Amino acid sequence: MVFRAACIKLLITVKILLCAHDDNVDAVFLRVVPNRSQFFEYEAVTFHCEGVSHYNVVHTLRGKIKSCSNTNEKTATGSSCSIKNLYTEESGELLCETGGGEKSNIINITVTAGSVILESPAVPVMEGEAVTLSCRNKTTSSSFTAEFYKDGIPIRNSSTGNMTIGRVSKSDEGLYKCSISSAGESPVSWLKVTGQNTDEKQQRADPESHAATPWIIVAVLLSVVLVVGALCHFGKDYWDRGKENNKHYISCRILCSFFFLF
């Protein structure tokens, strides 16, 4: 009976560990493909909501995006939906929301009918990473000179239409736009820079190792229960015969009592 009670305690512990791990892994996260915050009108886009099997893409001002709700597909990491034609009125803050009311991070996109956009990441950039901003002309793909602005101030001219920041820092956070001579200028987009703690870096570097951690703990706990439980349960005869060695007998009984009480 005591051994059975210990096994039940172990199962409860395992359940708590795995549920806690699932809550951490299954956090709802919205990303957009291609990963940029500006789009030309009538461009296609795909939204991925990781961590849930079904969701609605919601515009914070206009509500659910119907075209996305109709193309919701399950993926290996969650769900995704594709919109063939974006319209200017779909500009603004978007998030994914589950039937239970759980909400993801917010992504801000701008859909323009103009001729120039700035391709900048829609999701925050980690400090220390490299990021490239590209000025794009809707009417031509040939080379052109673009001027980049941060917070309304010109910061760089580029004959390739690209601007790379080698190691992003918080000081690079701000409102960016670009302009092309004779074509016009893009809307502005906020480049957000965020820090990253050691645990997050480790998880990005070795996600399989991180995911396996709870199972390693479970295996160790199970092994300890089986070994100590077997010794306590099936070793009674041996201990009874060894009562003469009182010190050894008492030590074993204390070990078993402590283990099962815990």
Side-chain angles (χ1 to χ4, degrees), residues 6 11 35 49 59 82 156 169 171 190 212 217 231 237 248 262:
L11 290 175
N35 179 23
C49 196
H59 191 289
S82 298
R156 192 179 303 179
S169 66
S171 62
W190 178 263
I217 296 174
L231 287 174
D237 294 339
H248 174 71
F262 179 78

Side-chain angles (χ1 to χ4, degrees), residues 140-155:
T140 179
S141 58
S142 59
S143 60
F144 50 80
T145 299
E147 186 165 15
F148 292 86
Y149 300 78
K150 179 178 182 287
D151 299 327
I153 301 173
I155 56 173

Side-chain angles (χ1 to χ4, degrees), residues 3-58:
F3 183 63
R4 183 181 300 173
C7 290
I8 293 173
K9 288 181 181 180
L10 175 65
L11 290 175
I12 294 173
T13 302
V14 169
K15 179 69 173 177
I16 292 172
L17 282 171
L18 294 181
C19 287
H21 179 256
D22 288 342
D23 289 341
N24 182 50
V25 172
D26 293 342
V28 184
F29 183 77
L30 174 64
R31 61 185 179 89
V32 58
V33 177
N35 179 23
R36 49 186 165 94
S37 55
Q38 294 184 17
F39 296 86
F40 291 118
E41 191 173 28
Y42 310 123
E43 274 195 296
V45 65
T46 299
F47 294 102
H48 293 271
C49 196
E50 299 174 350
V52 290
S53 59
H54 186 81
Y55 69 98
N56 291 301
V57 174
V58 177

